[in-house]
Amino acid sequence: MAVEISARFLAQTRTTLAAAPLRLFIDGKWVDAFSGKTFEVRDPATGLVIAHAAAGEAGDIDAAVAAARRAFDVGPWGSMLPPARRALMLRLADALEASAEELALLDCLDNGMPVNIAHFFAVNVAAEAIRYNAGWIGKINGETPVVSMPNQHVYTLREPVGVVGAILPWNGPLGMIATRVATVLSAGCTIVVKPAELTPLSAIRFAKLAQEVGIPDGVINVVTGFGHTAGQALAEHRGVDKITFTGSTSTGKSIVRAAAGNLKRVSLELGGKSPVIIMPDADIEAAIVGASNGIFWNSGQICVAGSRLYAHEAVFDQVVEGIARRADSLAVGSGLDPANDIGPLISEAQRERVKAYIGSGVADGATIVAGGNVIARDGYFMQPTILTNTRPDMRVVREEIFGPVLCAMRMSNADLDALVSAANDTEYGLSAYVWTRDLSIAHTLARRIKSGSVRINGGVDLDPALPFGGLKQSGWGRENGREGIELYYETKSVSIKL
Ligand code: NAD
């Protein structure tokens, strides 16, 4: 569905955002940071400041964790029966859908993503995640194992893990907060969310909607602020029972260190450098479209971006030319204009980082066959870029760029062992894409590629029922599906001597 934001609605939203700094949401109240500090929020399509948000720090995290603890231990949430909890979640999903245009506009202004993509996230990702997970309420239960001990009746209880801290990235702001809140609430836990400092707007609106539909005070708390202050305090906090972190692999490692103080549970959704394998028997036109969307969608700022292309030499030139044609034809510009396919990168720093990666690739001997340049205008725009003559030892092939940059590698034979070892030659293991009509090759590669997901003849798709996460340095645990909710439960064994 094409979404058009009216000039009036845009002007109203800008005025509201500029009117006063956004506040923290703690224990059902909207409050300033204890320090009184705020930070600037910029529109990456213009580089201009569009809002200010409260800069929460350790003291604010303390207050939010205490509220989440009260709501879990003594508030109405812990004792609420499944139908009531489910009904509240379904009301929240309906509220998200009813506010999809506004939420989409906030993510578009904040992150730069095209408003259509943001709208898709609001309806198909955020609201659906909440509905799907609401359906699990009351369905995760214990067992009555048969044991070898004589005269024992035993059973297990599944209990919510408690207070959860969620530290989130900026690349899909609303989808991130909604999917985390969905599983946490389904399990009966409470949550303190620390959105990315680059994109706090939709998280604040999300919290308001949760309040409006009647989610009890303290169940959802949102503390905006920086990673080294608010994020670090949340990861270290001894009152937090579990941290769910989504972000870069290097920050993920510091989260693990910070969480060690009380050995809180940790799940991590981290970076990727996902391979795309195109076999000569594939539907090449479909593969070109899929590979192109897989690296250029959201300006390549998605953790599952297919950033390493391995195409068989019989089809390599055709594939690269096809993707280059698409790259050249993509309209890059403000996400507010529905005619644009791709928005800006998130920040000036990110644009400079992507530019430096392209420079390093060229210095190492790569050839630019599409794009390669910053687009000279206000905002942080970058051309969709393809590099060929790339080698496995180059930084552009080894490191996550998190931008619209594809490294294309020619595979000289159809030896699956060589393909598998090229695909697995990475410290990441998030996703992989295989294009072939040969069932045997498809299933063999699906088994042998070391990644949390493998998509055959398809692109990046998100479904709340499909477990999502990474192997190796792409993370710990799986969000989504039954496994996603299991992350928020503990198992207790009870045995009774008869
Ligand atoms: P980031 O690691 O810089 O920041 C993520 C979050 O962590 C932010 O909220 C930030 O404030 C916070 N943070 C930073 N330093 C911290 C610290 N020392 N202690 C606690 N919190 C801290 O990542 P980013 O740049 O926001 O996001 C991009 C990265 O996220 C990419 O690597 C991408 O692949 C990854 N990502 C992964 C997934 C996934 O599901 N696997 C999804 C989206 C993004």
Side-chain angles (χ1 to χ4, degrees):
M1 184 176 96
V3 179
E4 293 224 23
I5 301 292
S6 72
R8 187 154 168 267
F9 185 42
L10 177 60
Q12 263 172 6
T13 306
R14 286 193 191 283
T15 308
T16 310
L17 288 174
L22 301 165
R23 305 175 97 188
L24 312 177
F25 184 60
I26 298 176
D27 208 10
K29 293 170 197 67
W30 295 93
V31 295
D32 294 327
F34 281 134
S35 67
K37 287 187 219 163
T38 60
F39 61 93
E40 292 176 340
V41 182
R42 283 174 194 274
D43 174 353
T46 61
L48 299 175
V49 174
I50 50 171
H52 289 80
E57 295 177 349
D60 307 288
I61 291 289
D62 279 344
V65 171
R69 173 59 59 196
R70 273 193 305 279
F72 182 74
D73 286 344
V74 294
W77 190 244
S79 55
M80 194 178 281
L81 294 176
R85 196 143 46 87
R86 187 164 46 239
L88 276 178
M89 287 184 69
L90 294 177
R91 284 176 62 186
L92 178 57
D94 289 347
L96 283 179
E97 202 161 325
S99 306
E101 191 175 302
E102 181 191 355
L103 291 161
L105 175 56
L106 292 176
D107 269 3
C108 173
L109 290 174
D110 210 4
N111 162 285
M113 65 170 65
V115 74
N116 283 319
I117 294 184
H119 194 269
F120 172 86
F121 268 106
V123 176
N124 300 60
V125 178
E128 273 316 300
I130 291 174
R131 291 194 182 107
Y132 171 84
N133 284 288
W136 275 106
I137 294 176
K139 299 191 180 83
I140 307 266
N141 297 304
E143 296 178 342
T144 49
V146 177
V147 292
S148 315
M149 299 174 284
N151 300 326
Q152 294 269 348
H153 169 56
V154 304
Y155 59 91
T156 60
L157 292 172
R158 305 304 307 277
E159 298 179 339
V161 70
V163 174
V164 176
I167 302 176
L168 304 177
W170 42 261
N171 62 334
L174 177 70
M176 285 292 163
I177 185 169
T179 49
R180 294 303 173 270
V181 164
T183 38
V184 166
L185 266 54
S186 172
C189 300
T190 58
I191 189 166
V192 176
V193 181
K194 209 297 279 171
E197 54 272 37
L198 291 167
T199 55
L201 302 185
S202 59
I204 300 283
R205 185 70 189 108
F206 179 93
K208 241 189 185 102
L209 289 173
Q211 186 180 34
E212 284 164 15
V213 302
I215 305 273
D217 293 349
V219 172
I220 300 172
N221 305 275
V222 177
V223 178
T224 49
F226 292 97
H228 62 279
T229 50
Q232 181 80 19
L234 188 57
E236 284 175 350
H237 207 289
R238 285 177 180 258
V240 172
D241 300 300
K242 175 183 161 58
I243 282 283
T244 169
F245 171 76
T246 306
S248 61
T249 294
S250 63
T251 308
K253 291 179 185 178
S254 73
I255 298 287
V256 170
R257 287 189 287 271
N262 66 336
L263 286 181
K264 57 176 68 67
R265 279 73 183 114
V266 177
S267 51
L268 305 168
E269 298 284 350
L270 308 176
K273 192 76 186 175
S274 300
V276 182
I277 295 173
I278 302 182
M279 302 300 288
D281 70 323
D283 176 342
I284 298 299
E285 283 312 312
I288 287 170
V289 174
S292 162
N293 290 342
I295 185 64
F296 300 139
W297 199 72
N298 209 22
S299 303
Q301 300 171 123
I302 46 172
C303 49
V304 289
S307 48
R308 292 181 292 137
L309 173 73
Y310 299 95
H312 187 272
E313 62 183 354
V315 293
F316 181 85
D317 292 337
Q318 183 190 353
V319 165
V320 170
E321 278 164 30
I323 302 176
R325 253 197 319 277
R326 288 184 67 84
D328 292 340
S329 70
L330 288 169
V332 185
S334 163
L336 289 170
D337 181 346
N340 288 329
D341 302 298
I342 298 185
L345 295 176
I346 186 68
S347 62
E348 188 173 358
Q350 182 72 1
R351 188 191 59 192
E352 292 311 301
R353 187 170 168 265
V354 173
K355 188 174 137 192
Y357 267 113
I358 295 170
S360 94
V362 171
D364 288 345
T367 307
I368 296 174
V369 295
N373 293 311
V374 162
I375 300 175
R377 70 163 87 121
D378 289 345
Y380 316 126
F381 295 94
M382 184 85 210
Q383 292 176 330
T385 298
I386 303 173
L387 300 175
T388 55
N389 294 320
T390 46
R391 296 184 315 272
D393 61 309
M394 291 181 179
R395 280 184 58 216
V396 280
V397 175
R398 304 214 71 78
E399 298 176 16
E400 183 184 46
I401 299 175
F402 223 54
V405 182
L406 180 68
C407 296
M409 269 117 351
R410 187 189 294 267
M411 296 304 290
S412 57
N413 60 50
D415 173 2
L416 287 193
D417 288 341
L419 263 178
V420 166
S421 80
N424 287 339
D425 183 16
T426 169
E427 63 189 25
Y428 295 108
L430 195 54
S431 192
Y433 306 87
V434 175
W435 295 86
T436 179
R437 289 188 170 101
D438 185 318
L439 274 179
S440 175
I441 290 177
H443 289 299
T444 302
L445 290 177
R447 283 172 184 230
R448 294 186 60 192
I449 292 175
K450 292 188 183 352
S451 60
S453 59
V454 178
R455 277 120 167 152
I456 314 284
N457 296 332
V460 175
D461 38 27
L462 299 166
D463 191 293
L466 201 58
F468 181 93
L471 304 184
K472 299 197 271 184
Q473 295 194 39
S474 288
W476 288 349
R478 297 288 175 274
E479 299 282 352
N480 295 349
R482 181 182 174 117
E483 284 173 72
I485 304 180
E486 299 260 2
L487 288 176
Y488 300 95
Y489 279 97
E490 297 280 14
T491 301
K492 180 184 283 173
S493 298
V494 182
S495 53
I496 306 165
K497 195 128 183 113
L498 299 177

